[in-house]
Amino acid sequence: MEFNILGIGVLTWLVFLPVLGMLLVLLIPGNNKNAIRWTALGITALQLVLAVIVTCLFDRSAAGVNDPQSFQFIEQFRWIAVESVPWIGKIEILYFLGIDGLSILMVLLTAIISVIGVISSWNIEKMVKGYFVLYLLLVTGMMGVFVALDFFLFFIFWEVMLLPMYFLIGIWGGPRREYAAIKFFIYTFFGGVLMLLVMLGLYFSVAYTNEAGEMVHTFNLLHMMNSANFVEGSIFYGLDTTWRYIAWVALFVSFAIKVPLFPFHTWLPDAHVEAPTPISVILAGVLLKLGTYGMLRILYPILPDGTVYFMYLMAFLGMISIIYGALCAMAQDDFKKLIAYSSISHMGIVMLGMASLTNQGTVGAVLQMFNHGTITAMLFLTVGVLYDRTHKRGLYDFGGIANQMPKYTGIAMVALFASLGLPGLSGFVSEFFSFLGAFDAFRWITIISVIGIVLTAAYVLWTIQRVFLGEGKEEHNSLADLTGRELVMFVPLLLIVIFLGVYPGPAIELMNTSISTLVEFVGLAGK
Amino acid sequence: MAEHIIDSIFLFLPEITLTLTLVAAVLADLVLKERNRMVAWVVFAGLLVTGVFVLRQCGLNESIFSDMIAVDPFSVFFKGLLTIAGLFIVLFSVVSKELEQNGRRIGEYYMLLTGVLLGMFLMAGATNVLMMYLAFELTSISSYVLSGFTKNLRKSAEASMKYIIYGSVSSGFLLYGLTLLIGITGSTDIYGIRDALQSSVGHDAVLYLSVMMILVGFSYKITVLPFHFWAPDVYEGAPTPITTFLATASKIAGFALLMRFFRISFVDGGITDFAGYEGIIAVIPWNIIVAILATLTMVGANLMALWQDNIKRLLAYSSISHAGFILMGLVLLNDEGMAAMMVYLAIYLVMNMGAFFIAMIISDRLHTERISDYQGLGRSSPFLGVSMAIFLVALAGFPPTAGFIAKIFIFGAVIHAGWIWLVVVAGFSTVISLFYYIRVVKNMFLSEPPDSMKPIETSRGVMAVVIMLLIPVFVFGIWFSPLLSWARDAVVLFGL
C-alpha cells in the first residue's frame, strides 16, 4: 500500500506536518495569538484527516511485525551511509517508516489527541507562540515514534519529545512545575540512556548481507528481529544468554519508565498534577502508550527469549501497578492526582494483558492502550473544565455539580464509568480481553489483579459522589455549563468511547492479524 | 639532503604562513591606525590563508624535516579544526568588551594567539619527542601570558599565575618521562622508540615510570582527573575568548599529540588476528590506566559541576567531563576508537565554543557570570536564550543535535570493543551531566525575568557568529555522514 502527496509519502507528511506548522507559527508575530492558535489547529486537523485516510486505506489482512513485505505505506531510503574501510564495515542508517496493525491505532490516537489538545489549549495566554512551537514539536516526536522502523530513527523521535515536554510542564505548569518537570526529564533521560546502550549493542550484533555481498551492520528493526542476522561471537548472539537477559532488562526498564510501571512510576503523579490540562491530556493520552508500544515493537520481537523468560515478572509488575495504583487513587483528595494514579492502574492492565503472550491478552492490551488514551484524555479535560472555572481541584471542594452543570456532568459520568469498566463503554471490552488472555497464562496473578477492578469501582463511585452529587456549595452556584469549544473537544471522544463499547469490531480487526503474528512469532522464537 | 629540506619547506606552508601572520600582526600593530580592530583582521586573513594551505595538504602522507613532523591525514584533520578554532577565537576577541576595556596592547594579544596556534599545529604533526616537547612548551608559555592578558583584573592575574605553576609541573613530568624514554630506547623519534621497544628493550621499572610520567604530563594538558585542578580556576579567571581557546583548541591539540604518541610508540598492530584489535607493546597495561582515568574524569567532573554557580566554571567542568568521554576512545587501541575521538573533538569544538560565546556576550552586557542571575534571560532575550539552550542540550548529547552523534560514536566504538563497564559508566555520567546543563536552561526559561532585566541587544555580527556555530550543531546532528567519512579517512598516521 502506498499513498503519496506531492511525491512524498503520507507517513512523512504525518510526522513532519507539525514541524511545518511550527515554522509557520514562528513566522507569525507573537501578539497575534488567535492566528497562532488557528494555525496549530489547522495543522493538527490536517494531520488527523491524513491519519483517518490512512486508517481507511489500511489493509487489515497484512501482518507486518517482522515481515517488511506486509508493512504498509513504507518509506525507506538510506539516510546515512558511510563506505566501509578495512577496520570496520559499512555504516548504514535508514529513514524507514511504515505501519502495521500494532501502530495504526496509535497513529490514529495521536492524531485525535493532538487536535483535542490544541482545542483545550485555547485559553492559554502566556507566551502563546512558544507554547505552540513546543507543542507541535512534541506531536512530531510522538507520531515519529509510532511509525519509525529503524531503531536509530525511533530513538531520535523518542528523545526529541523530552525537551518540549520539559518546557511545557516547566513553563506553563502549576506551582511545583520546576520539580515536576525535572523529575520527568531525569527519569525519561535515564531510560533513554539505557535504550541507547542496548541499541548500540544490537547494532554491532546484527548484520545482514546486502546485494553486493558485504556484511552491513544496521539499525533496521526488522533485521534485528531475525535471529539469523546475529553475528556469531557478538555480544547478543545466541538465545537465553546472560547478555541478552541484561539487554532485555535494560530495555524493559527504559520502556517501563514511560508506561509507567511500578516501581518506576513516581514521576507521573507529579508531572500530571503540575502540567497544564492539555499537556496532561497528551501525557496520559499518548505518551504513556509509547512505553507499551515500544515493548511490543522492539522488546518482544527482538528479544523474544527474554520476553518469555521474564513473562511472570512483567505480569507481576502489572499486577502490582493495578492494585497499587488503585489503592493510591483511592487515597487522593486531589482530582488530578486521582486520575494520574488511575492511569498507573489502567496501564497495569495493559502490561498484564501483554505479558500473557496470548492473542486475546495482547489484543486486549493494545485496545486498552487506545481506550485508556481516549478515556483518560476525557477525564483530564473534565478536571480542566472545573479548574478553569473555580481554580480548585480538591475532591472535597465540590459537590452537587450535577445541578449547576448538567451537560458537563453527563459527559464526565460517561468518562468515569468508562474508566470503571462499565459494559457498553469501551473500557470494558479491552479490560475484559486483557484479563481473559491473562487468565489463560497466569491464574493467580490475574485473580488478584481483578481485585483492582473492584477498587476502581470504589474510587470512581466515591468521586462521583463527592464531586457531582450531594449538596452544592454556595460559591459554585453560578458555574457556567460547557461552552461550545469545550463541547467540541469532548464530543468526539465521547462518541469513540460509546462506539467502541458497543461495537469494538473495527478496532480489533485493524490489529488482529498483526498481533496474532507477533504472538506466534514470540512464542516460537522464545521457547 | 638539501632537496629533502626544500621539499619539506613546501609541505610546511601552513606553519610558515602562521609565522608570517605573527610577524604581520606585530607590524600592523606598530603601523596601522585604529589598530585594535585592524590587527584582528590581519590575523583573520592570515588564518584564512593558512586554512587554504591546510586544505591543500589533504591526502598527503609524508614525513618532513627528517622525521620531525608528519604531514598525514591525521595532522591535516587536526590542523583544520585548529584553524577553525583560531578563526572563531579572533571573532570572539573582536566582540569581547572585556578585552576592549582591559587590554591595552591588543596587537600583542593577537600575536600571542597566533603563536599558540603555531605551537598547536606543531603538536598535531610532531613525530619527534623533542619536537613534541618544544611544541608543547610553545603552546603552554604563550597560553600563560594570554590567560593573564587582562592583567589589571585580579582574577586574570591569579589565573595566569596558577596556570604557570601547574603548567610547569606538568611540563616537568612530561620532560622527565620523555627523557627516561629516550634514555631507554636511544631514539628521539617515535618510530625509533617503537622499534626499540618491540625488539631489544626490557620492560623494566624505568619504562613503567616513564610511561606513567608521560601520561601524567598529558593528563594536565587535556584536564583529566585528578590532574584537572588548574582548569576551573584558570578558565574562570582568563578572558573568555582565551578560556574558550583553552577549552577547545588547547584540548584538541593535546589530544592530537597524545593520540599520535601513544598510538605509534606503544601500540602494536597485528598482534592477534581479530580484526581491529591491537595489543600493547610496553607491558604496562596503560590502556586500563587510561580507562580508569576516563572513568574518574567523567564521573568526578560531572559531579563537581553540579555545585557550580559560575557559568564559566560550570563550562570548565563540563569540558573536563567531555575530555573523559573522549579519552575512552584511546582505551580501545583501535582505529575505530580514534575515529570516534576525532568526530567527538570536532563536534565538541563547535558546541563548546557556542556555549562560551554566549556566556561571554551575557557577561559583557549584564556584568555577571552567575547562573542564578540568568533568571528569565530566555524570555527577555529569546535569541541568545534559545541558542544557549541548544548548545547546552547539544553538550548533554540530545538528538537531533551534533552532540548526540558525538556520544553515539564514542559509545558505539566502546561497546564494539567490548568495554561494557566503561560505557555503562559513561551512560550514567551523561545522566548526571543533564542536571547541570538543564539547570542553566531552567534559570533562563522557567523563572520569570526580574523587572530590572532589559533585553540584551545583539548586533548583527554577534548573531552571525552564533548562527555560524548553530549550523554545524544541527547539520551534523541530522546529516553526519561527511563528518564520519572525514574522520575515518583521517585516521591515517604516518608510519603505521
Side-chain angles (χ1 to χ4, degrees):
Chain A
M1 182 61 72
E2 269 188 43
F3 182 54
N4 292 330
I5 302 167
L6 301 176
I8 300 171
V10 67
L11 293 185
T12 303
W13 280 108
L14 266 178
V15 174
F16 288 103
L17 209 53
V19 172
L20 211 65
M22 196 177 108
L23 298 178
L24 280 178
V25 168
L26 279 175
L27 292 178
I28 302 172
N31 48 15
N32 198 348
K33 291 180 180 172
N34 271 328
I36 293 172
R37 291 174 184 138
W38 281 106
T39 314
L41 182 62
I43 289 287
T44 43
L46 203 58
Q47 195 190 24
L48 178 60
V49 170
L50 287 182
V52 170
I53 295 176
V54 166
T55 316
C56 293
L57 294 176
F58 186 80
D59 174 9
R60 289 156 198 204
S61 59
V65 184
N66 62 343
D67 169 31
Q69 308 309 325
S70 57
F71 266 94
Q72 304 180 45
F73 306 102
I74 287 183
E75 287 165 50
Q76 179 176 5
F77 62 85
R78 278 209 193 100
W79 168 25
I80 300 295
V82 180
E83 287 311 308
S84 64
V85 286
W87 34 273
I88 183 168
K90 229 174 137 126
I91 294 183
E92 191 177 89
I93 300 173
L94 300 175
Y95 177 81
F96 186 18
L97 306 180
I99 51 176
D100 62 358
L102 292 179
S103 40
I104 178 74
L105 273 182
M106 295 299 115
V107 169
L108 194 60
L109 179 69
T110 309
I112 295 171
I113 298 291
S114 305
V115 178
I116 284 166
V118 174
I119 301 175
S120 81
S121 310
W122 219 260
N123 51 5
I124 279 180
E125 295 289 341
K126 182 175 163 189
M127 295 164 72
V128 177
K129 188 168 168 174
Y131 177 86
F132 280 105
V133 166
L134 291 167
Y135 183 92
L136 290 169
L137 189 61
L138 179 67
V139 174
T140 289
M142 296 188 302
M143 197 54 106
V145 169
F146 287 127
V147 298
L149 290 180
D150 184 275
F151 208 157
F152 195 86
L153 199 61
F154 180 95
F155 186 79
I156 287 192
F157 284 128
W158 181 274
E159 296 278 283
V160 160
M161 278 180 309
L162 279 188
L163 270 178
M165 204 62 195
Y166 169 77
F167 286 118
L168 286 168
I169 298 176
I171 299 180
W172 288 272
R176 282 171 74 239
R177 56 178 187 255
E178 292 186 8
Y179 170 76
I182 194 75
K183 197 167 174 185
F184 163 81
F185 200 14
I186 296 290
Y187 259 91
T188 3
F189 188 67
F190 172 75
V193 168
L194 287 180
M195 196 197 294
L196 174 71
L197 297 182
V198 177
M199 174 177 102
L200 289 170
L202 280 169
Y203 172 77
F204 288 109
S205 300
V206 173
Y208 75 99
T209 318
N210 69 0
E211 307 86 47
E214 296 168 298
M215 289 277 277
V216 183
H217 286 292
T218 178
F219 285 106
N220 186 335
L221 284 173
L222 306 184
H223 284 307
M224 288 180 177
M225 292 173 196
N226 185 348
S227 57
N229 282 339
F230 281 80
V231 179
E232 208 169 331
S234 62
I235 180 163
F236 295 139
Y237 175 74
L239 279 179
D240 293 299
T241 61
T242 314
W243 278 120
R244 278 176 79 95
Y245 287 156
I246 291 172
W248 190 93
V249 170
L251 258 188
F252 178 74
V253 169
S254 74
F255 289 130
I257 288 172
K258 245 332 191 258
V259 174
L261 218 52
F262 178 88
F264 309 105
H265 64 279
T266 59
W267 63 269
L268 183 84
D270 288 310
H272 266 316
V273 169
E274 300 308 324
T277 307
I279 301 311
S280 284
V281 169
I282 294 264
L283 193 59
V286 183
L287 243 68
L288 305 190
K289 278 78 209 167
L290 292 166
T292 39
Y293 172 79
M295 289 186 195
L296 287 175
R297 170 69 70 214
I298 294 175
L299 191 62
Y300 272 41
I302 293 181
L303 299 164
D305 45 339
T307 308
V308 172
Y309 184 82
F310 288 109
M311 184 172 157
Y312 281 87
L313 177 74
M314 287 195 281
F316 184 72
L317 290 179
M319 177 189 88
I320 302 268
S321 296
I322 295 173
I323 304 285
Y324 174 85
L327 285 174
C328 284
M330 210 182 267
Q332 301 308 319
D333 51 13
D334 179 316
F335 203 162
K336 226 173 169 183
K337 223 167 185 168
L338 178 132
I339 302 170
Y341 277 110
S342 88
S343 279
I344 296 175
S345 176
H346 285 115
M347 291 308 285
I349 300 180
V350 176
M351 199 61 241
L352 183 68
M354 273 167 55
S356 71
L357 296 178
T358 58
N359 212 354
Q360 298 101 320
T362 317
V363 166
V366 177
L367 195 58
Q368 170 78 351
M369 278 153 72
F370 185 84
N371 288 340
H372 175 257
T374 47
I375 294 170
T376 314
M378 273 177 88
L379 289 175
F380 276 116
L381 291 173
T382 308
V383 183
V385 166
L386 270 189
Y387 186 75
D388 281 348
R389 284 166 175 66
T390 62
H391 294 279
K392 278 185 229 157
R393 284 192 312 247
L395 288 164
Y396 290 102
D397 293 338
F398 301 101
I401 295 290
N403 295 329
Q404 269 83 44
M405 304 166 72
K407 272 188 265 177
Y408 167 73
T409 306
I411 290 172
M413 290 281 197
V414 174
L416 282 163
F417 278 119
S419 167
L420 175 153
L422 193 74
L425 296 172
S426 62
F428 170 73
V429 183
S430 49
E431 286 178 22
F432 176 75
F433 271 115
S434 302
F435 283 122
L436 193 67
F439 192 71
D440 245 8
F442 352 81
R443 196 142 299 177
W444 282 105
I445 291 180
T446 315
I447 290 172
I448 298 171
S449 304
V450 174
I451 299 174
I453 300 289
V454 182
L455 296 174
T456 309
Y459 68 75
V460 167
L461 291 174
W462 197 22
T463 305
I464 293 176
Q465 187 198 333
R466 278 182 291 184
V467 176
F468 299 99
L469 307 177
E471 287 290 307
K473 301 219 163 155
E474 271 182 34
E475 69 262 36
H476 296 152
N477 275 348
S478 55
L479 286 186
D481 209 339
L482 294 183
T483 61
R485 175 180 68 83
E486 283 163 344
L487 275 175
V488 170
M489 65 194 190
F490 274 117
V491 169
L493 293 175
L494 189 72
L495 293 178
I496 294 172
V497 167
I498 296 174
F499 178 76
L500 286 184
V502 181
Y503 183 46
I508 293 178
E509 276 169 31
L510 278 176
M511 61 187 173
N512 205 8
T513 326
S514 295
I515 286 179
S516 48
T517 315
L518 175 71
V519 168
E520 195 185 344
F521 174 75
V522 172
L524 277 179
K527 278 165 192 161
Chain B
M1 191 61 202
E3 222 168 86
H4 175 72
I5 290 173
I6 290 168
D7 285 346
S8 299
I9 285 175
F10 278 103
L11 290 173
F12 201 57
L13 281 176
E15 286 83 355
I16 293 174
T17 321
L18 269 182
T19 319
L20 291 177
T21 310
L22 196 152
V23 176
V26 177
L27 291 180
D29 189 33
L30 291 176
V31 179
L32 291 176
K33 287 177 190 168
E34 216 194 316
R35 55 196 178 204
N36 284 9
R37 280 284 155 97
M38 291 314 288
V39 179
W41 295 125
V42 167
V43 171
F44 193 81
L47 288 181
L48 280 179
V49 178
T50 313
V52 172
F53 282 123
V54 171
L55 279 182
R56 286 185 55 190
Q57 288 184 339
C58 280
L60 291 179
N61 194 359
E62 315 258 350
S63 184
I64 58 175
F65 296 123
S66 330
D67 281 350
M68 274 287 170
I69 291 166
V71 181
D72 49 11
F74 182 81
S75 72
V76 172
F77 181 89
F78 279 102
K79 283 187 225 169
L81 286 189
L82 292 169
T83 316
I84 294 169
L87 288 170
F88 273 108
I89 298 301
V90 173
L91 292 178
F92 287 15
S93 312
V94 173
V95 176
S96 169
K97 287 234 169 76
E98 196 181 0
L99 282 175
E100 197 178 307
Q101 284 157 2
N102 297 303
R104 250 175 271 151
R105 309 181 61 85
I106 212 75
E108 280 172 22
Y109 171 87
Y110 289 108
M111 184 206 84
L112 284 166
L113 198 64
T114 324
V116 182
L117 213 54
L118 178 62
M120 291 173 174
F121 268 51
L122 294 175
M123 278 168 84
T127 57
N128 184 299
V129 172
L130 297 178
M131 192 67 222
M132 282 179 169
Y133 183 72
L134 281 179
F136 192 84
E137 283 298 274
L138 177 55
T139 317
S140 301
I141 293 172
S142 317
S143 305
Y144 303 152
V145 184
L146 278 175
S147 58
F149 196 76
T150 49
K151 58 187 175 215
N152 312 352
L153 297 181
R154 200 188 138 78
K155 60 172 189 175
S156 181
E158 185 190 325
S160 179
M161 202 59 214
K162 276 188 181 150
Y163 198 13
I164 291 174
I165 293 169
Y166 277 109
S168 322
V169 174
S170 78
S171 298
F173 270 111
L174 185 65
L175 190 59
Y176 202 14
L178 292 176
T179 316
L180 288 177
L181 196 63
I182 296 172
I184 302 167
T185 59
S187 169
T188 58
D189 70 75
I190 52 179
Y191 314 112
I193 290 174
R194 179 183 53 187
D195 293 343
L197 287 175
Q198 259 173 341
S199 53
S200 51
V201 176
H203 299 127
D204 52 10
V206 184
L207 179 61
Y208 301 161
L209 193 64
S210 126
V211 173
M212 288 304 288
M213 284 190 150
I214 292 169
L215 208 53
V216 170
F218 279 124
S219 297
Y220 273 106
K221 193 79 194 164
I222 57 172
T223 62
V224 163
L225 249 65
F227 310 106
H228 68 287
F229 294 108
W230 61 275
D233 293 340
V234 173
Y235 285 12
E236 186 187 348
T240 316
I242 293 309
T243 306
T244 320
F245 199 45
L246 293 180
T248 54
S250 186
K251 210 165 266 188
I252 289 173
F255 266 108
L257 186 53
L258 176 70
M259 282 157 83
R260 186 190 293 277
F261 182 62
F262 273 75
R263 182 84 173 90
I264 292 187
S265 305
F266 300 134
V267 175
D268 183 11
I271 246 188
T272 53
D273 297 335
F274 184 53
Y277 182 81
E278 287 153 81
I280 303 168
I281 299 174
V283 174
I284 177 171
W286 56 265
N287 68 331
I288 293 174
I289 298 172
V290 171
I292 293 166
L293 288 178
T295 309
L296 268 179
T297 311
M298 287 186 289
V299 176
N302 278 324
L303 285 176
M304 284 185 268
L306 292 177
W307 282 273
Q308 305 307 324
D309 189 43
N310 180 300
I311 186 76
K312 278 165 81 179
R313 269 189 104 78
L314 182 119
L315 288 174
Y317 279 108
S318 135
S319 81
I320 297 172
S321 79
H322 281 284
F325 285 114
I326 300 169
L327 204 57
M328 289 197 297
L330 194 66
V331 176
L332 315 179
L333 304 173
N334 61 23
D335 284 347
E336 199 186 350
M338 303 265 281
M341 289 169 91
M342 287 156 86
V343 169
Y344 204 119
L345 283 167
I347 290 172
Y348 166 80
L349 173 72
V350 278
M351 52 191 191
N352 216 24
M353 278 201 171
F356 269 116
F357 182 62
I358 293 176
M360 178 181 100
I361 299 291
I362 292 171
S363 98
D364 276 353
R365 304 300 195 285
L366 299 184
H367 305 287
T368 179
E369 287 172 0
R370 289 178 49 195
I371 296 166
S372 40
D373 290 340
Y374 276 31
Q375 285 195 346
L377 204 105
R379 301 198 195 170
S380 57
S381 346
F383 177 74
L384 285 183
V386 170
S387 315
M388 184 64 158
I390 292 170
F391 288 126
L392 289 173
V393 158
L395 283 168
F398 256 90
T401 62
F404 172 65
I405 303 306
K407 284 249 156 65
I408 201 167
F409 278 97
I410 200 101
F411 282 18
V414 177
I415 287 185
H416 194 202
W419 289 75
I420 305 292
W421 67 266
L422 189 59
V423 83
V424 169
V425 172
F428 282 110
S429 333
T430 313
V431 178
I432 302 174
S433 76
L434 182 70
F435 277 98
Y436 59 85
Y437 291 125
I438 213 66
R439 193 156 52 91
V440 183
V441 177
K442 188 195 88 180
N443 270 335
M444 288 194 303
F445 287 95
L446 268 53
S447 319
E448 298 289 339
D451 296 333
S452 57
M453 182 172 269
K454 293 193 189 83
I456 298 173
E457 282 169 27
T458 37
S459 65
R460 289 238 180 92
V462 169
M463 281 172 97
V465 173
V466 173
I467 289 171
M468 272 193 289
L469 288 166
L470 276 177
I471 289 172
V473 167
F474 275 115
V475 169
F476 288 143
I478 294 166
W479 189 59
F480 43 91
S481 11
L483 188 63
L484 284 187
S485 314
W486 290 333
R488 290 182 139 197
D489 294 341
V491 193
V492 178
L493 282 80
F494 183 82
L496 271 186

